[in-house]
Amino acid sequence: MDLGADYPTTESVYGDWDRVFDDLVARWSKAASTGREWREYRVLPPVERPQLFCAGSNYRQHAAEMYTHNQGEYQKARRPGESDEAFFQRNLAFVQDKRATGMPFIWLSSHGGLVGPHDDIQIPAVGSDHDWEAELTVVIAGGSPRYMTPDEAGEYIAGYTIGDDMHTGDLYSRSDIKWNADWIAKQQPTFHQAGPFVVPRQFFPDLTAMRITLDVSGERMQDWPADDMIFSTEQYLSYASERLLLLPGDLLMMGSPPGNGAVHGGRWLTPGDTVDIAITGLGAQHHRVIAEETHGRIPYWGMPPYDPNPSR
């Protein structure tokens, strides 16, 4: 259905979500087919210019794998001669203790990297460790108050969609700044794919039957239950409401399950690959991976400085 006359923006859809949901149900009951499949259209991202909230280290297995196999700052905690398995077990114990008994961790991303569910992924001219993170993604409804409890927060979930929170891993670590990490490595153009559908929360009484899968060039890389999280969607929204103002149509990406490139022997995305992502009940994405067109420009700054063994 063409809803543009009454809902010209996605903010107008999600600003008063409960009323709009009732209106959409009423319209659907009277709707006639347009005679065209939705696949005949180019599907855009499901929201316009959202704030992107990204959950960090929210799946135990993934967090422990990341701390074990990713390079740079992650490896400074490895003991001399320590095997991957021993390092993984220590990291898993850390995740189960510190993360699960602590509080959610959120970082912010730019909507400048947001593209639709079938758009191309562009590999940038800087870095090489271009990695994937298929994620259950929440669309936030309007009117959410500050300082929500988790019990309240579920009322401000409009629906769910598929997201991919990509990054360039070898751009993270820097030794020229005290905090040693640079989160702008997750902001590249096309690195946040979302859609195709926003399925209202009313159709998902719980998430236990949902599974996340991601394939790279036909090879299964991620396959994990969507609900196997350290902190729930409601807990994350509650936490976010204490730190900033939530706006209608914002996206909350709930963290990646295990199976990133470092676990697969440093298998990173390169031009010529394809990426297919699916989450039970939310549809699927398909992307070609291509090189970014730089129009003859070359990077001025390039890779960040990093000393794995600083003297001080």
Side-chain angles (χ1 to χ4, degrees):
M1 291 180 285
D2 183 355
L3 305 177
D6 294 321
Y7 301 105
T9 65
T10 54
E11 183 178 359
S12 66
V13 174
Y14 299 113
D16 186 3
W17 173 245
D18 287 340
R19 179 193 62 79
V20 170
F21 178 77
D22 290 341
D23 179 51
L24 296 180
V25 169
R27 291 176 187 237
W28 173 82
S29 67
K30 303 173 184 176
S33 171
T34 63
R36 296 184 67 182
E37 290 285 334
W38 68 271
R39 294 174 180 83
E40 297 179 40
Y41 297 89
R42 180 190 173 198
V43 183
L44 300 177
V47 291
E48 302 161 299
R49 298 183 180 274
Q51 298 184 100
L52 284 168
F53 311 127
C54 300
S57 301
N58 198 32
Y59 285 73
R60 294 171 183 83
Q61 181 79 8
H62 167 249
E65 287 180 353
M66 178 175 62
Y67 299 158
T68 301
H69 297 285
N70 284 22
Q71 298 303 307
E73 287 298 309
Y74 298 95
Q75 295 302 312
K76 288 185 176 180
R78 189 188 287 263
R79 294 168 179 165
E82 188 172 29
S83 67
D84 282 352
E85 178 58 27
F87 193 28
F88 172 82
Q89 291 302 325
R90 284 203 303 118
N91 286 322
L92 185 60
F94 169 83
V95 170
Q96 291 173 330
D97 179 20
K98 299 297 184 183
R99 291 288 293 120
T101 59
M103 63 175 63
F105 170 76
I106 287 179
W107 60 275
L108 296 176
S109 187
S110 166
H111 58 69
L114 188 65
V115 293
H118 307 132
D119 290 333
D120 293 339
I121 295 170
Q122 299 177 25
I123 298 300
V126 179
S128 61
D129 300 358
H130 308 295
D131 206 352
W132 53 83
E133 295 188 8
E135 305 195 9
L136 177 67
T137 299
V138 173
V139 181
I140 299 173
S144 61
R146 292 268 284 159
Y147 309 112
M148 290 188 291
T149 67
D151 288 341
E152 296 173 288
E155 295 300 312
Y156 298 96
I157 296 174
Y160 301 93
T161 190
I162 300 172
D164 186 16
D165 175 26
M166 285 182 56
H167 62 270
T168 303
D170 50 338
L171 294 185
Y172 274 152
S173 297
R174 292 179 57 165
S175 56
D176 60 331
I177 50 178
K178 286 291 186 181
W179 53 91
N180 300 126
D182 193 344
W183 286 89
I184 204 169
K186 298 180 76 78
Q187 315 291 331
Q188 296 279 8
T190 75
F191 268 30
H192 287 92
Q193 310 102 48
F197 308 115
V198 176
V199 180
R201 72 167 190 273
Q202 287 86 343
F203 300 124
F204 286 102
D206 64 70
L207 307 180
T208 57
M210 302 174 75
R211 197 167 188 90
I212 301 172
T213 63
L214 181 144
D215 297 349
V216 176
S217 297
E219 182 179 357
R220 182 60 46 91
M221 297 295 182
Q222 293 186 289
D223 189 347
W224 205 255
D227 67 328
D228 185 34
M229 302 175 190
I230 298 173
F231 296 104
S232 69
T233 54
E234 292 81 5
Q235 288 173 316
Y236 257 98
L237 284 178
S238 172
Y239 175 78
S241 75
E242 295 184 8
R243 300 299 193 264
L244 38 76
L245 182 65
L246 305 179
L247 302 175
D250 283 348
L251 296 180
L252 169 60
M253 293 186 169
M254 286 305 304
S256 173
N260 297 111
V263 180
H264 294 285
R267 168 56 163 104
W268 315 116
L269 292 179
T270 58
D273 281 330
T274 57
V275 176
D276 290 276
I277 308 171
I279 300 181
T280 310
L282 301 181
Q285 298 185 3
H286 175 75
H287 306 277
R288 298 187 309 159
V289 181
I290 64 172
E292 180 183 11
E293 175 54 68
T294 65
H295 303 285
R297 293 182 174 272
I298 60 174
Y300 177 83
W301 295 101
M303 295 296 294
Y306 179 70
D307 180 1
N309 298 295
S311 58
R312 65 182 186 278

